[in-house]
Amino acid sequence: MSFENQIVLITGASSGIGRCLAIDFAKAGAVVIGCGRSRDRLDSMLEEIRPVSRSSMAIPCDVGTREHVQSMVTKVLEEFGNIDILINNAGIGMRKPFVETSLETVEEIMRTNYLGMIYCIHAVLPSMMVRRSGHIVNVSSIAGIAGFLNIGAYCASKFAINGFSESLYYELKPY
């Protein structure tokens, strides 16, 4: 698959897997739009990929906030006309017994890991369907197919990602 001049939106691009994906896609000729919550880390990622992908950009965005996602996607569509590949990679986790985990923490994990993916797909999908072109990649974890000690909320968010992804696959198969 050629990524030359493909517009690739990567959430959680400021560190870890997302940063590595941003660098690899840029080296493969893609225009990378990296988003994340840390402006400093996004700027660092952008510095690394700009020599090979001059049009790439970084957009600070909390994917757990629907309005932030819609604003980001609108900006990308206005600037580039389309999004060829959406990689939902943003995620947070924590290791603590459930009984010691605040409900606010559980909500934050679900908002970032699961709802952030939902918000991004919902914002990007209509333009992909009109063009009958595009790819969506939802990054999950082994914790999405098996439960593990002290990461119940994280496991739940990844199970949700897997279930939604499978369902969406069948829904979008005609496209």
Side-chain angles (χ1 to χ4, degrees):
M1 183 173 188
S2 172
F3 298 110
E4 194 70 33
N5 297 316
Q6 295 282 293
I7 309 302
V8 181
L9 174 58
I10 304 171
T11 69
S14 60
S15 64
I17 293 169
R19 182 185 177 102
C20 290
L21 287 169
I23 292 165
D24 288 347
F25 272 104
K27 287 178 180 175
V31 175
V32 173
I33 295 84
C35 87
R37 293 184 293 185
S38 170
R39 172 49 118 179
D40 290 341
R41 290 191 313 209
L42 283 172
D43 287 344
S44 171
M45 176 274 302
L46 194 58
E47 279 180 37
E48 192 165 346
I49 67 173
R50 272 275 168 85
V52 294
S53 182
R54 304 287 306 144
S55 299
S56 288
M57 62 191 291
I59 303 175
C61 178
D62 178 355
V63 296
T65 304
R66 188 179 339 159
E67 297 79 16
H68 290 190
V69 170
Q70 190 57 57
S71 175
M72 172 187 63
V73 170
T74 298
K75 181 176 183 171
V76 173
L77 292 175
E78 286 173 355
E79 179 87 17
F80 298 99
N82 62 284
I83 295 168
D84 297 301
I85 302 170
L86 167 63
I87 301 177
N88 287 304
N89 171 70
I92 57 173
M94 51 83 56
R95 215 172 261 288
K96 195 181 230 182
F98 176 71
V99 72
E100 297 173 15
T101 305
S102 72
L103 293 178
E104 289 78 16
T105 298
V106 173
E107 290 170 350
E108 181 183 11
I109 290 169
M110 291 302 288
R111 199 170 26 258
T112 299
N113 298 6
Y114 176 67
L115 289 176
M117 174 203 66
I118 295 293
Y119 298 155
C120 288
I121 292 172
H122 199 264
V124 169
L125 190 56
S127 67
M128 286 182 170
M129 290 175 75
V130 165
R131 291 177 31 244
R132 296 187 70 83
S133 178
H135 300 277
I136 299 169
V137 178
N138 298 324
V139 177
S140 186
S141 163
I142 190 71
I145 59 174
F148 293 93
L149 179 67
N150 294 334
I151 58 171
Y154 180 78
C155 289
S157 71
K158 296 302 182 172
F159 268 82
I161 288 169
N162 291 346
F164 179 81
S165 298
E166 184 176 342
S167 178
L168 191 63
Y169 166 79
Y170 293 113
E171 188 174 322
L172 297 178
K173 197 171 183 180
Y175 292 90

